[in-house]
């Protein structure tokens, strides 16, 4: 007589999930590697609820508005599958106003896809963390965002045309990454922008004429990219501009009066490492210009 032993797959999903729910969320997903059946059980939305809910209730109290240092759960957020990310955002992060995680050792992490759920976020600082991957589409839907600092990472891909959604943005820092593509014309929709830094990437194409719409812009750093063509004459519409660095690109042509004549507040201009030449007499009318490197 042959007796058939029960297999793992014959165990009810609810029992499997109940067993694994006793492990902390920061470690439980390691068991996905055991087999495809366990992996499927742990990825169900219901498991995210029964696993995370009791553990999040026992966490130490934290500010619901500001975070200056990521805890173990925050660090796991970047690695979790979508079911866990969504539950964590809805029950822990959704009211957050400020995330300031500067140089917190988040290397090999990507920006969580569920970041779009932080709809009240006004300031996001993830500088110098060696983050990898692309900037998720959800970030470009954070319409309350005023400060976005992602410089000093290893982010890839292009600056999305959806950047134009961030109409309240005052600071956008994407320098020292591995971004490619072009500067989207939609950048001109950010009419409150004061600081734009896309330096030390691999961004090509021309500087869009729409940049002239950034009437509040004070600092522009697009040095060390692959920008080409001429500086558009709409550059002269940036009347608040004080610091410009376009060093190390492939720009050409001259400095027309239209391109620089309106930059009455300009203090520093760096164009070295391009093919810009010709008459620079237009600079003589910029009375506040203290430093220029051509």
């Amino acid at each position: 007589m042959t007796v058939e032993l029960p297999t793992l797959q014959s165990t009810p999903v609810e029992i499997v999930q109940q067993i694994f729910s006793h492990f902390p969320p920061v470690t439980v997903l390691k068991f996905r590697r055991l087999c495809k059946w366990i992996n499927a059980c742990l990825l169900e939305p219901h498991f995210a609820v029964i696993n995370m809910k009791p553990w999040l209730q026992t966490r130490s109290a934290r500010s619901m508005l500001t975070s200056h240092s990521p805890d173990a759960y925050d660090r796991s957020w970047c690695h979790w599958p979508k079911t866990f990310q969504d539950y964590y955002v809805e029950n822990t992060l959704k009211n957050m106003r400020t995330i300031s995680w500067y140089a917190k050792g988040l290397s090999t992490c990507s920006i969580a896809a569920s970041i779009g759920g932080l709809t009240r976020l006004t300031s996001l600082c993830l500088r110098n963390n060696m983050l990898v991957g692309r900037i998720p589409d959800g970030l470009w839907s954070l319409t309350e965002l005023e400060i976005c600092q992602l410089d000093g990472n290893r982010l890839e891909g292009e600056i999305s045309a959806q950047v134009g959604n961030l109409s309240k943005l005052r600071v956008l820092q994407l320098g020292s990454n591995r971004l490619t593509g072009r500067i989207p014309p939609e950048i001109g929709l950010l009419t409150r922008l004061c600081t734009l830094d896309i330096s030390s990437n691999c961004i090509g194409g021309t500087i869009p004429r729409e940049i002239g719409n950034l009437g509040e812009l004070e600092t522009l750093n697009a040095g060390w990219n692959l920008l080409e063509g001429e500086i558009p004459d709409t550059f002269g519409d940036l009347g608040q501009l004080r610091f410009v660095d376009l060093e190390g690109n492939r720009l050409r042509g001259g400095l027309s009066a239209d391109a620089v004549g309106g930059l009455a507040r300009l203090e520093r201009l760096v164009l070295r490492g391009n093919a810009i030449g010709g008459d620079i007499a237009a600079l003589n009318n910029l009375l506040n210009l203290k430093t220029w490197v051509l």
Side-chain angles (χ1 to χ4, degrees), residues 102-217:
Y102 172 77
K104 296 301 182 181
L106 301 177
S107 58
T108 74
C109 290
S110 298
I111 300 175
S114 60
I115 196 169
L118 279 65
T119 55
R120 300 182 182 182
L121 198 66
T122 61
S123 180
L124 175 64
C125 175
L126 299 175
R127 305 176 67 187
N128 296 349
N129 276 296
M130 306 303 273
L131 294 167
V132 299
R134 294 174 176 268
I135 300 174
D137 289 341
L139 188 143
W140 308 118
S141 67
L142 300 178
T143 55
E144 297 299 314
L145 205 57
E146 299 177 12
I147 298 174
C148 181
Q149 299 171 307
L150 304 179
D151 46 315
N153 288 292
R154 296 177 180 175
L155 298 172
E156 302 174 347
E158 302 182 6
I159 301 174
S160 171
Q162 297 179 64
V163 68
N165 295 334
L166 309 183
S167 59
K168 295 183 180 181
L169 207 59
R170 294 184 291 108
V171 175
L172 178 59
Q173 294 176 247
L174 302 174
S176 298
N177 279 290
R178 299 174 179 177
L179 300 176
T180 54
R182 297 168 174 262
I183 303 174
E186 290 78 5
I187 201 79
L189 297 175
L190 308 183
T191 55
R192 299 185 185 183
L193 202 62
C194 297
T195 298
L196 175 59
D197 181 0
I198 57 171
S199 62
S200 300
N201 281 288
C202 297
I203 298 171
T206 59
I207 300 174
R209 293 181 54 80
E210 289 81 0
I211 201 167
N213 296 333
L214 306 182
E216 300 298 318
L217 196 65

Side-chain angles (χ1 to χ4, degrees), residues 159 180-184 196 198-208 211 220-232 235 245-252 273-276:
I159 301 174
T180 54
R182 297 168 174 262
I183 303 174
L196 175 59
I198 57 171
S199 62
S200 300
N201 281 288
C202 297
I203 298 171
T206 59
I207 300 174
I211 201 167
L220 171 62
N221 188 354
W224 301 107
N225 277 288
L226 303 173
L227 296 173
E228 56 190 16
E230 299 185 358
I231 297 176
F235 217 73
D245 189 342
L246 300 174
E247 181 176 3
N249 282 285
R250 300 172 179 175
L251 299 171
R252 54 180 172 77
N274 288 284
I276 295 175

